[in-house]
Amino acid sequence: MRGVIFDGKQPQVVDDLEIREPGPGEVLVAVVAAGLCHSDLSVIDGTIPFPVPVVLGHEGAGVVEAVGAGVVHVAPGDHVALSTLANCGTCAECDRGRPTMCRKAIGMPGQPFTRRGAKLFNFASNSAFAERTVVKAVQAVKIPDDVPLTSAALIGCGVLTGVGAVLNRAEVGQGESVVVIGAGGIGLNVLQGARLAGASTIVAVDANPSKEAAARLFGATHFVDASTTPDTSAAVKGILPTGADHAFECVGNTKLIRQAVDLLDRHGQAVLLGVPPADAQASFLVSSMYLDKSILGCRYGSSRPQRDIALYARLYREGRLLLDELITETYPVEDFAKAADDAHHGRVARCVLTF
């Protein structure tokens, strides 16, 4: 079968992957569509260290082909969106409703794939850039058949991360103010999360002026073009003179992390979503933090996928959550190189690979 692998040197599309059958508590999914996220590119460029060879992809949707023993919530033929959380469901963190903090949900890649007799790792417990993948049952969330799988694929990372960061981690309230630094795939979902939460002033900041239309569509009330504005912080303060209740950094740049902190009003929260290199260090003015400000890390939107994916699918069907509008382009999996180049250079908000 076809898939996209990374051997530590370069990614390539191959057609001779094999996948094992699902074991107890597992699901075999025929992937129909998969979003290309910057985390996949970060594995390729070394920003995210990961063992190789690996089958890439982690934002996908498809149709259940087979289930292992004990799986009862999905059956062959069901449409599912996939999450990356292979959480155990039984530890203290899972019991508290915090599966993103499960110690078995990260850093333990499996090897369900083989190629020419050699085993390959799965990425983010998912590997959606393959015609078929095996995931834990908890990662497969049933969705209505009338939700297009090309759109549903985006729920599993971009929407869970961006919208979840607003609703679950920051808990943005009605009438509050939000600044979103970076209007890419994650940033756009933060913007629509802020809109869904009822924020009043929502400021998007990006160095690409062509992103303004999409930012406003997803919920921005204001747009600051960082490419032509000498002092973007001053421009934001011109809109929010006392600062923002919430600032989301969606780029992964330490200077922008500092900017997010500096843009906060008293009692404000800076939420870090962008992923800088693993050894990156950021600084902030300590004295400013005594005004009840907070810096919040956020993994995967602090999501509970079985609950949240179903919620976001419902909001999509009601016309309240945008998914189709996130997709700038679709590519057959064979065109992965072009898709990756377009994503790397910011020509697309989100591109989707299809099988």
Side-chain angles (χ1 to χ4, degrees):
M1 67 178 184
R2 293 169 297 167
V4 180
I5 67 171
F6 177 60
D7 61 4
K9 298 179 181 179
Q10 62 181 11
Q12 59 179 312
V13 180
V14 300
D15 61 5
D16 55 355
L17 280 178
E18 296 181 3
I19 184 81
R20 62 170 173 77
E21 292 297 313
E26 293 182 332
V27 178
L28 175 67
V29 177
V31 179
V32 173
L36 175 55
C37 174
H38 273 275
S39 293
D40 299 299
L41 302 181
S42 293
V43 173
I44 295 170
D45 68 21
T47 300
I48 297 178
F50 206 87
V52 293
V54 58
V55 180
L56 295 174
H58 64 284
E59 186 182 71
V63 180
V64 175
E65 282 202 348
V67 300
V71 178
V72 296
H73 75 292
V74 292
D78 285 346
H79 287 200
V80 293
L82 303 178
S83 88
T84 69
L85 289 184
N87 58 296
C88 70
T90 59
C91 69
E93 297 296 344
C94 287
D95 194 50
R96 293 187 183 103
R98 300 191 298 198
T100 56
M101 295 297 104
C102 175
R103 296 185 187 278
K104 294 185 179 180
I106 189 171
M108 299 181 182
Q111 293 180 302
F113 298 94
T114 56
R115 180 177 183 238
R116 300 174 183 174
K119 292 185 176 182
L120 292 85
F121 291 100
N122 59 4
F123 178 54
S125 302
N126 189 308
S127 291
F129 292 169
E131 287 188 85
R132 292 173 182 81
T133 190
V134 168
V135 297
K136 290 186 66 173
V138 72
Q139 296 177 254
V141 183
K142 186 176 179 179
I143 58 173
D145 290 354
D146 61 357
V147 178
L149 291 172
T150 49
S151 298
L154 303 183
I155 299 177
C157 179
V159 177
L160 282 178
T161 299
V163 177
V166 175
L167 302 182
N168 301 329
R169 187 66 168 123
E171 298 182 341
V172 172
Q174 291 274 343
E176 293 186 328
S177 57
V178 171
V179 173
V180 180
I181 302 173
I186 299 299
L188 290 176
N189 279 297
V190 174
L191 290 169
Q192 74 168 329
R195 170 176 53 79
L196 289 166
S200 58
T201 304
I202 306 172
V203 183
V205 181
D206 200 281
N208 185 347
S210 68
K211 293 183 178 180
E212 179 174 0
R216 291 187 180 276
L217 175 66
F218 277 76
T221 59
H222 299 75
F223 185 87
V224 174
D225 180 1
S227 69
T228 60
T229 305
D231 188 342
T232 55
S233 292
V236 173
K237 288 293 183 71
I239 302 165
L240 298 168
T242 62
D245 295 312
H246 309 272
F248 295 81
E249 201 281 342
C250 305
V251 178
N253 181 292
T254 55
K255 291 182 178 179
L256 297 179
I257 290 172
R258 170 61 185 266
Q259 183 182 51
V261 175
D262 290 345
L263 286 173
L264 295 177
D265 195 358
R266 299 181 181 192
H267 67 72
Q269 299 180 130
V271 183
L272 311 186
L273 295 176
V275 182
D279 58 353
Q281 297 186 24
S283 64
F284 58 90
L285 189 64
V286 175
S287 60
S288 71
M289 303 304 293
Y290 295 107
L291 295 173
D292 283 0
K293 298 181 183 181
S294 304
I295 301 174
L296 305 180
C298 183
R299 178 169 184 249
Y300 205 45
S302 301
S303 296
R304 292 153 67 182
Q306 287 289 336
R307 176 199 69 172
D308 291 348
I309 289 177
L311 169 63
Y312 299 152
R314 177 168 63 81
L315 292 176
Y316 168 79
R317 296 174 84 203
E318 294 172 356
R320 299 169 61 194
L321 183 101
L322 305 180
L323 289 177
D324 305 337
E325 296 82 356
L326 279 168
I327 304 171
T328 310
E329 189 67 73
T330 59
Y331 305 79
V333 68
E334 290 81 6
D335 289 344
F336 173 79
K338 184 178 188 307
D341 188 66
D342 286 346
H344 175 70
H345 288 96
R347 303 186 193 104
V348 293
R350 220 29 160 221
C351 57
V352 174
L353 300 177
T354 58
F355 290 90

